Amino acid sequence: MHSLLSRLVEQPGVFFFHLLFFAITAGSPDGRAGDVDVSALLAKAHQAGLAHDPQWLSLLQYDKDGGKSEVLTADFFLDAKGQTDPEAELVATIQAVFASNAGEPSDQHARCRYPARHYWIAKRLGLDGFNIREARCTRLERWARFDHVRSLSVLLVSGYFGNPASSFGHSLLRLNADNADESSNLLDLTFNFGALVPANELIPVYVYRGLTGGYQSGFSDKYFYSEDMVYSKTEFRDIWSYELALDDEELRFMVYHLWEIVGKKFTYYFLSENCAYRMAEMIELVKGEHFLDRSAYWYTPIELFVRLHELDRRQPGKFIRSVRFSPSAQRVLHAQFDALKTEERGVANQLIQNDSLSLDEALVGAPEQARINLTEALLAYYQFKIVGEQPRPSEVLRKKKDSVLLERLRLPPQERAADRLPALDSPASRSGPMLAAGGLGWSDTDKQVTAHLEWSAYHQGPLDENGLSNGELAVADLVIRFEVNRARLQKLDFIRVRKFNDQAVTIHGESDWSWQARVGLQRPPGETEPNTELLFSFGVGNPIFLSCPLQ
Amino acid sequence: MKKAVFTLTLASAVAAAMAPQVASARDFGDIYKECGLGAMLFPKEKDSTLAVITNVTWDLGTTAISSNISSPDTCQGGQAQKAAFIMETYPQLEKDLATGSGPHLKSLMAMSGCQQSVRADLGAALRNDFAKAVSVPGYSAQGRYEQAGGLFQLLETRIQSDFATSCTAG
């Protein structure tokens, strides 16, 4: 002790320096802001070329050329030139995230507003503690629920022929909470990307503006139950949930970036910079693999998932952890009817058909289980029909539904057995949507071999590897016929849609018609001149399924 | 004197601890207005020529309860979350209450703020209450707002009357 005091007296300057250093490091709220040399970080970042790193450009949502950010919202950028100058934005970000926030609300600090940028910069510059969550970012913590989120899924929603914009399907993201029971995922946070369309927009205007960038768009965050109500319970679309193979860091990074980007606006292009494009960008950011290289003119949702499967085949388990199928409410309804015994189904159809037949009369003598089965199937049916009559379902329909509802409420509760529904393979699990085909033939007329080549920019059909189980959708389907001395356009379908009604079970009143529509050019049969005609066709019919669909 | 004061203080503390935790006074109507629940319904239930279009974001989460990012503090969690859930998923809740089980009923019970051990009983009690509500003439004529508000009130009332000690106030 005596010798220490002696040294302090003899070397007061050294002592004072150590005292000051101790005060600085002990006094800083996080031990980092106070001793970070921002100038040194800027120099290091410049030396490392971070401003033009692909991940930095991705974080700023720069376009493929790296020339400009696609984010339109000014407060996404910290520098006035941030939308076009990634270096300026990097400098502003480093200065902001490593600044002290004396006097500023914690949640407004740049680290809380741009956690992904901070995380990435700190990691790339080799700073300690880059992976530590900031306790002061209370809004972020409350929103992200880091302690509960275990994984992230990207959802493929099947196409919906009721709306041209939805024919090619849809995709969205979901943060999966740590629920032992998957049926409790209704409260998971979900991110949807779409156009901001004014109310009462006319369809032709919507189509034009959607194709030409006439709308702004953005990510919205909602609970999964909202999206489930729309896609599964109202539009009756199937959903495949792809749980991505992300480690904890990748997951955290993705969540951070979603926080930065949700609510910010973009320009919407239906064919290219759409929901699937933005989802693909997010996955590219964390996984480092390219998803958008092949998208020159369009990018459909299924292409994202085809690419996931392709990458996962090369490195099994590195991209896809699992794929879970969720049938639409309509599919569940048909399964419920299919599960009824023949006599039960007969009673159900009689009740649907005959307004004057009361439920009590129809269920006379029926055992309790039959009453339970019937009322549940009928309840699902009437709810299905009510959706179809929104926004103003008929009073008759509502009363029928409520009569069945009341009857079921009077019967004992019973956990529903899992509906006997086979899990459909994802349409993306086998091949991409582009089609190329060829064939050879013999022309009796011309006495020569002919060949034809078919190319379709987008094709999904019931017999395709990537098939739709109940229809066909083809866009830009071109067939060229080759003869010895010429090649001729045989047909060009701009769009061809077939919707088959493939339900085996009959529910009274449900349409069993199938339909098809086609717009394109075609050379008339037998026509020898190189003339093509513009063709519009529409047809209805009843398909006959001779066996189960090929899988 | 000191002993009397101590006893009075202790008695007050015990009374306060035993008193049921009364839920917030906000009713469904207040939450509906403050949190824009009317905007949450699927566009098909609005009068819109684009009623079938859903790959469309009608807002960026600013008019309805989306999550904690843009909702005002008074619309986050607890009663507001329950009210929004009931409003938006009412048909599914009808179905799950009818059968006595299902993901929407389970989620509602999870949001109730009640301990896991009482949720099954709460669900069963709610089912009975709901059956009485459905049996009332005029139920079919009610709109979504009335029906959802009714179910919300049934839940809150049942929690307060029978499960208050096992549930936290929303």
Side-chain angles (χ1 to χ4, degrees), chain A residues 464-482:
Chain A
D464 293 348
E465 284 266 294
N466 63 354
L468 295 176
S469 64
N470 60 351
E472 181 188 32
L473 175 61
V475 176
D477 188 23
L478 172 70
V479 176
I480 297 179
R481 176 184 163 102
F482 294 90

Side-chain angles (χ1 to χ4, degrees), chain B residues 20-23 122 125 129 153-165 167:
Chain B
Q21 296 180 57
V22 179
L122 174 60
D129 294 338
Q153 200 51 54
L154 286 177
L155 178 63
E156 294 298 288
T157 302
R158 182 55 66 182
I159 288 174
Q160 288 180 32
S161 64
D162 292 348
F163 298 92
T165 56
C167 304

Side-chain angles (χ1 to χ4, degrees), chain A residues 139 142-143 160 162-163 165-166 169-170 181 183-184 186-187 189 193-197 199-203 206 218-223 225-226 228-231 233-235 237 259 262-265 376 379 383 387 390-392 398-399 401-402 405-406 408-416, chain B residues 39-40 42-61 64-71 73 76-77 81 84-85 88-92 94-95 97-107 110-111 127-128 130-132 134-135 139-144 147:
Chain A
R139 285 188 74 223
R142 193 171 61 223
W143 175 83
Y160 173 55
N163 165 23
S166 299
H170 187 53
D181 178 3
S183 68
S184 304
L186 293 173
L187 300 178
L189 202 54
F193 183 87
L196 293 160
V197 179
N200 301 317
E201 190 86 308
L202 297 175
I203 299 280
Y206 170 74
F219 281 96
S220 63
D221 57 332
K222 293 191 174 175
Y223 295 110
Y225 68 76
S226 293
D228 179 65
M229 282 303 292
V230 170
Y231 295 115
K233 309 294 191 286
T234 305
E235 290 191 325
R237 298 162 81 170
W259 170 256
V262 76
K264 302 296 183 280
K265 292 182 182 172
E376 288 184 3
L379 184 57
Q383 285 186 332
V387 167
Q390 293 290 4
R392 282 174 287 277
R398 295 183 67 180
K399 282 184 174 173
K401 186 265 288 178
D402 291 333
L405 172 63
L406 186 58
R408 182 61 189 93
L409 282 163
R410 287 174 177 156
L411 293 163
Q414 187 179 78
E415 185 103 21
R416 274 184 55 80
Chain B
M40 299 177 71
F42 171 50
K44 205 168 186 177
E45 293 163 11
K46 305 178 187 177
D47 281 327
S48 168
T49 56
L50 285 185
V52 293
I53 291 179
T54 56
N55 285 9
V56 157
T57 297
W58 293 89
D59 59 66
L60 291 181
I65 291 177
S66 57
S67 71
N68 296 323
I69 194 174
S70 54
S71 309
D73 288 340
Q76 294 172 18
Q81 191 185 43
F85 183 75
E88 196 161 350
T89 68
Y90 190 82
Q92 301 307 310
E94 273 189 335
K95 189 163 72 71
L97 282 163
T99 62
S101 66
H104 291 77
L105 180 59
K106 203 175 285 190
S107 295
M111 277 186 270
R127 184 175 189 263
N128 289 336
F130 183 63
K132 289 175 193 153
V134 173
S135 68
Y139 174 80
S140 298
Q142 290 180 350
R144 175 69 68 87
Q147 290 183 336

Side-chain angles (χ1 to χ4, degrees), chain B residues 6-29:
Chain B
F6 173 75
T7 304
L8 179 63
T9 305
L10 181 61
S12 299
V14 169
M18 292 293 293
Q21 296 180 57
V22 179
S24 161
R26 291 174 83 203
D27 65 13
F28 185 80

Side-chain angles (χ1 to χ4, degrees), chain A residues 489-535:
Chain A
L489 173 69
Q490 194 71 12
K491 78 165 182 180
L492 170 59
D493 284 345
F494 300 128
I495 188 162
R496 184 174 70 246
V497 183
R498 288 187 184 140
K499 176 76 171 72
F500 301 131
N501 186 332
D502 60 350
Q503 300 304 329
V505 64
T506 301
I507 303 177
H508 176 79
E510 285 300 287
S511 170
D512 52 5
W513 289 98
S514 301
W515 59 271
Q516 64 181 26
R518 183 181 161 206
V519 179
L521 300 172
Q522 182 165 311
R523 189 159 66 89
E527 175 62 58
T528 55
E529 294 301 315
N531 290 328
T532 55
E533 297 174 334
L534 184 60
L535 179 75

